[in-house]
Amino acid sequence: MTVLLWIRFIVGLVLLLCGLIVFGIEIFGVFKFGYVLNRMHAAAMGDTLGIALSMLGLIVLCGLNFTSLKMILVVVFLWFASPVASHMLARFEVATNESLDRECDMGGLSPSAKNTDSKT
């Protein structure tokens, strides 16, 4: 029985450490990139994966009970809320930045597609 507890502890600890590593890479990406959309992309991707790994590690350490169910619901809520919030912030940046073509490569977009984001 104690062997199974140690295996569960090691698996949970590895998942928590992987989550911390993802958060560290996310912080590095946020400070490395210069443009706000690049920073936001690094933050959103790292946030989603880091929270999932960390919470999964906590669920493994906690065992299957009501607390682990609540942690699963937190992960599901954050998986829906974080990308939506990031997308809204990105749309706001595209709509309000007048010098977007200097910051981003807009060569693949037609002239009508460039103007649709600023109208909405």
Side-chain angles (χ1 to χ4, degrees):
M1 186 66 178
T2 60
V3 174
L4 292 177
L5 289 174
W6 275 103
I7 291 173
R8 189 173 87 181
F9 176 73
I10 291 172
V11 168
L13 189 64
V14 166
L15 287 170
L16 275 173
L17 288 175
C18 287
L20 287 175
I21 289 170
V22 168
F23 282 134
I25 293 170
E26 169 193 354
I27 290 171
F28 176 73
V30 167
F31 285 116
K32 179 190 174 290
F33 293 125
Y35 185 56
V36 67
L37 291 178
N38 295 339
R39 289 180 183 184
M40 195 167 43
H41 180 72
M45 291 289 123
D47 189 36
T48 304
L49 183 61
I51 286 175
L53 287 172
S54 299
M55 292 296 260
L56 190 62
L58 290 174
I59 289 169
V60 168
L61 287 174
C62 186
L64 292 176
N65 54 21
F66 190 64
T67 305
S68 62
L69 175 66
K70 288 189 270 186
M71 285 190 267
I72 291 171
L73 290 175
V74 166
V75 169
V76 168
F77 173 74
L78 289 174
W79 272 9
F80 283 117
S82 181
V84 170
S86 298
H87 181 74
M88 288 176 58
L89 286 171
R91 296 271 304 187
F92 179 73
E93 172 66 21
V94 168
T96 59
N97 192 351
E98 295 174 357
S99 62
L100 187 65
D101 53 350
R102 283 189 295 159
E103 300 287 342
C104 299
D105 180 23
M106 305 288 281
L109 295 177
S110 64
S112 62
K114 291 179 188 177
N115 295 330
T116 56
D117 284 336
S118 61
K119 292 180 182 178
T120 56

